[in-house]
Amino acid sequence: EEIYDDEGNYVESVTPHIWGQKIGSDDYPVLGGDKVYLVTNCNNESDYSNENINNTHDWSNKDGICANGCGTQCSHEGISDGECDICKAEFQASVTDKDDNEIGTYKTFDEAFAVARENEDSTLTLLRSVTLTDYLFANSCRFTLDLNGKILLKETDRVLQTGENADITIKDSGEGGTVQTTAEYATAIVNFGNLTIESGKIKSDMGVSNYGTLNFIDGEVEVESLAAIYNGEMGVVYIYGGSLAN
């Protein structure tokens, strides 16, 4: 096909795009399919791609390391809903310091929890819902757990226990963030330290067993059969708002 400008002067000839193929989806070329380019990857090896970009990395392993063998690690510059926008690696949580500077993004919640405990006044943010293998124990530390609209679940036993030297704040910057155990007659949180609940939901047969100081500022405790808040000997509870329901 020849192309001319408005004055009838010849500009160029263009070969119409008729056949194409979506790499990885189409088994054969199809009429009107995606355009295919011959490109070179980061190891200078030729391959076919739907993007006309050379020196490309292969992130198909979804582990953040180029599958071509060049050793390049993904920068993880953008993470949406716990997934890297570039390599598609999955992350469960992130930690920021007291000034909201990023300390790190972690593939497992346990890694992030350990980092938060070592960084005073840090914030541990859930990037996706997590089912715990073991319950969490926090002592001699002060940080905030941001549920971020996700669910922190323990199917057996409690979700979190705080020691007498712990100072933990729980909040939900998203919608529907929940600390939950599905174990029968289990307590979601056992507090021996200083626990502040700013927002979010606690869901279990018994909500919070308190033997320290509990500041319930807002949020919701939803229980199936037992007490929303059990206050043990020497425990102190301050309730400023929120709801307690069964």
Side-chain angles (χ1 to χ4, degrees):
E1 180 182 355
E2 296 182 343
I3 299 177
Y4 297 85
D5 62 20
D6 293 339
E7 297 178 354
N9 299 312
Y10 172 80
V11 176
E12 62 178 334
S13 296
V14 177
T15 301
H17 170 61
I18 300 176
W19 294 91
Q21 183 176 358
K22 186 172 182 61
I23 305 298
S25 297
D26 297 334
D27 293 331
Y28 304 98
V30 295
L31 188 63
D34 292 4
K35 193 169 184 178
V36 177
Y37 300 91
L38 181 63
V39 298
T40 55
N41 64 21
C42 52
N43 283 334
N44 202 33
E45 299 167 334
S46 297
D47 200 357
Y48 293 102
S49 172
N50 295 125
E51 296 183 354
N52 191 18
I53 303 174
N54 289 289
N55 197 34
T56 54
H57 297 291
D58 180 359
W59 305 117
S60 59
N61 289 340
K62 297 184 179 181
D63 61 359
I65 301 175
C66 178
N68 289 331
C70 72
T72 299
Q73 294 191 354
C74 180
S75 62
H76 305 312
E77 291 182 1
I79 296 177
S80 306
D81 293 326
E83 183 179 271
C84 176
D85 297 336
I86 300 171
C87 71
K88 307 305 178 184
E90 296 181 352
F91 298 88
Q92 292 188 340
S94 65
V95 180
T96 54
D97 66 16
K98 62 182 179 179
D99 298 317
D100 203 30
N101 298 310
E102 183 177 301
I103 296 176
T105 305
Y106 305 91
K107 292 183 178 179
T108 69
F109 182 83
D110 288 341
E111 290 179 277
F113 186 72
V115 172
R117 284 184 300 177
E118 296 299 321
N119 288 270
E120 190 170 284
D121 294 322
S122 61
T123 298
L124 166 59
T125 302
L126 277 171
L127 299 178
R128 57 178 55 227
S129 293
V130 173
T131 298
L132 299 170
T133 302
D134 299 311
Y135 76 82
L136 304 169
F137 179 71
N139 194 26
S140 301
C141 56
R142 185 172 70 216
F143 66 89
T144 296
L145 170 61
D146 182 359
L147 299 172
N148 189 32
K150 309 299 188 293
I151 297 174
L152 185 60
L153 174 67
K154 181 75 169 68
E155 294 177 334
T156 59
D157 206 352
R158 69 205 67 180
V159 178
L160 170 67
Q161 180 172 321
T162 62
E164 60 182 12
N165 295 316
D167 188 350
I168 307 298
T169 298
I170 296 176
K171 69 176 186 178
D172 182 20
S173 63
E175 296 183 3
T178 305
V179 175
Q180 179 180 6
T181 176
T182 54
E184 189 174 17
Y185 305 128
T187 302
I189 302 174
V190 179
N191 176 51
F192 287 93
N194 188 70
L195 175 65
T196 300
I197 299 176
E198 293 184 351
S199 55
K201 177 186 283 190
I202 312 297
K203 187 175 181 180
S204 57
D205 275 5
M206 180 181 288
V208 180
S209 293
N210 180 58
Y211 303 92
T213 301
L214 171 61
N215 299 284
F216 193 81
I217 297 174
D218 204 349
E220 179 183 356
V221 179
E222 180 183 315
V223 295
E224 295 294 331
S225 56
L226 303 174
I229 296 176
Y230 169 77
N231 195 42
E233 186 177 355
M234 305 299 291
V236 179
V237 177
Y238 300 98
I239 298 177
Y240 301 94
S243 65
L244 310 174
N246 60 14

